[in-house]
Amino acid sequence: MGTCVIYDIIIVGAGPAGLTAALYAARFRRSALVLHDGTPRAGYIPLSRNVPGHEDGIAGAELLERMTRHAEASGAHLVEARVTAATRAEGLFHLTDADGVVRSARAVILATGVAMNKPPLDEEVHQAALDAHVLGYCPICDGFEHTGQRIAVLGCDISGAKEALFLSGYSDDVTLVPQRNVDLNPDERRDLERAGIHILTDPVTRFEPTGREMRLHCEGRAAPLAFDVLYPALGSRPRNALAQQLGLEIEAAGTLATSSPFGTPIPGLYCAGDVVEGLDQISVAMGHGAVAATKAHNWLRERDGETAQAVLGAE
Ligand SMILES: Cc1cc2nc3c(=O)[nH]c(=O)nc-3n(C[C@H](O)[C@H](O)[C@H](O)COP(=O)(O)OP(=O)(O)OC[C@H]3O[C@@H](n4cnc5c(N)ncnc54)[C@H](O)[C@@H]3O)c2cc1C
């Protein structure tokens, strides 16, 4: 196989979860390698205002840069490589990247995040809309900044309804807009109407973000509708392929069990961040990363007979 180094811990992912895991693992004096393909969702964040300790906000890119420096200064190594295959044999994990390079470790932390479903916008236009705060993906993160504004939610189904109801806590002007069809049952409609949420029936044919607002061109309407912000509620695709290859059970939503930062049925395998079922937030991803690295470290100590139980022979 041509493998020469066996790492204590390989972490797949260099978002907030993976970089926190790397920091902890390195500070436990473990040989820690981070493999990442340069596509963290955190990199989309123009300015996050709910990362504790950053009262003036911090851009996702800056946060990742700082976290990378911190992990590297503590001894973690980062390599940009897309991992395409993961196997486990005789107590070792083997990760193969897109160039066919195989790297091995005794423990693995998967912090691969999720890919979000986006409206049809060119990448550049999409990022400019995020930067102008006329497009958002995380009401929990930045609904507060849109208090009292004209808010649109894309997706006339149960996910869109939940997001619109949540956002009605910030504004009386919330509109649910269908991407294609309206798929709401009478109870959902009633709840939305009670909350004062407008329900449009004409699907959006074109998204036109400007530096100040999001214009939505809808079928059968001559003029576009203008909103201060649009939140697509189109769901996301957990990046769970490696977890599946290693034999982890995937939940209906595609995510991994909430307990997986603490350990999985596969000895030495831990998961952290958005790929785990739960609140997709930076602070949660960081917490998962810390838990996963500590659990992995202690698991390795146990295997190496370095815990009090192993040394003293206590039960
Ligand atoms: C526009 C936007 C704004 C947001 N604002 C906020 C906010 O203000 N506050 C907040 O708390 N949260 C916010 N979020 C959510 C936040 O970005 C995520 O919760 C956070 O990034 C999760 O961290 P993570 O490490 O789990 O995943 P990610 O940040 O997505 O990182 C995943 C990592 O895995 C790597 N990867 C995946 N698969 C592979 C593979 N096969 N091989 C190699 N590498 C791989 C990627 O390259 C990446 O490095 C926002 C999200 C978006 C999209």
Side-chain angles (χ1 to χ4, degrees):
M1 204 181 277
T3 308
C4 44
V5 184
I6 295 173
Y7 293 91
D8 287 327
I9 306 176
I10 292 184
I11 297 144
V12 187
L19 291 172
T20 304
L23 172 69
Y24 275 63
R27 289 176 58 83
F28 293 140
R29 306 185 67 203
R30 291 290 174 188
S31 58
L33 174 69
V34 179
L35 298 173
H36 69 101
D37 68 1
T39 57
R41 215 158 71 96
Y44 284 104
I45 308 173
L47 192 72
S48 175
R49 292 188 170 274
N50 72 345
V51 178
H54 294 277
E55 72 274 26
D56 295 325
I58 182 161
E62 187 186 345
L63 180 69
L64 293 172
E65 228 176 85
R66 285 175 177 235
M67 291 184 73
T68 299
R69 276 205 307 271
H70 195 177
E72 284 181 330
S74 306
H77 295 279
L78 267 80
V79 170
E80 190 160 344
R82 187 163 55 85
V83 182
T84 53
T87 56
R88 184 167 181 270
E90 291 164 21
L92 282 184
F93 293 91
H94 305 289
L95 303 180
T96 309
D97 74 15
D99 293 327
V101 178
V102 181
R103 298 175 180 89
S104 303
R106 300 171 69 204
V108 160
I109 299 173
L110 296 176
T112 45
V114 301
M116 60 206 183
N117 296 328
K118 302 184 218 159
L121 286 169
D122 290 344
E123 199 50 46
E124 235 171 74
V125 176
H126 182 267
Q127 189 59 49
L130 287 174
D131 292 346
H133 304 282
V134 300
L135 179 66
Y137 282 88
C138 183
I140 290 176
C141 312
D142 49 32
F144 185 80
E145 272 66 45
H146 297 289
T147 300
Q149 293 189 347
R150 299 164 300 168
I151 300 176
V153 174
L154 182 67
C156 265
D157 57 10
I158 182 66
S159 307
K162 282 184 185 166
E163 206 150 310
L165 284 166
F166 178 81
L167 283 160
S168 69
Y170 294 103
S171 174
D172 294 335
D173 191 347
V174 178
T175 305
L176 198 53
V177 190
Q179 192 184 27
R180 284 182 207 95
N181 314 315
V182 177
D183 181 17
L184 296 167
N185 68 33
D187 287 349
E188 288 158 3
R189 261 182 190 280
R190 191 203 51 222
D191 289 350
L192 289 163
E193 279 159 10
R194 267 196 201 146
I197 293 163
H198 317 289
I199 305 171
L200 276 192
T201 49
D202 319 317
V204 183
T205 51
R206 189 159 68 87
F207 300 84
E208 188 195 354
T210 73
R212 298 169 55 89
E213 60 187 18
M214 175 63 82
R215 294 182 188 151
L216 300 181
H217 297 260
C218 299
E219 213 168 86
R221 286 179 186 257
L225 296 168
F227 298 93
D228 295 302
V229 63
L230 170 74
Y231 284 99
L234 305 177
S236 60
R237 288 156 285 132
R239 302 178 75 177
N240 58 23
L242 301 174
Q244 284 199 54
Q245 289 173 20
L246 287 168
L248 279 191
E249 208 169 295
I250 309 295
E251 310 206 323
T255 43
L256 307 173
T258 47
S259 55
S260 56
F262 293 86
T264 68
I266 295 152
L269 181 63
Y270 304 82
C271 307
D274 283 3
V275 73
V276 173
E277 153 65 25
L279 193 62
D280 290 355
Q281 291 285 285
I282 290 167
S283 53
V284 176
M286 289 176 170
H288 281 178
V291 169
T294 307
K295 289 287 175 185
H297 171 59
N298 284 336
W299 181 76
L300 290 169
R301 287 175 61 231
E302 245 170 59
R303 295 199 76 192
D304 295 340
E306 292 170 357
T307 57
Q309 188 175 348
V311 173
L312 303 174
E315 266 303 291

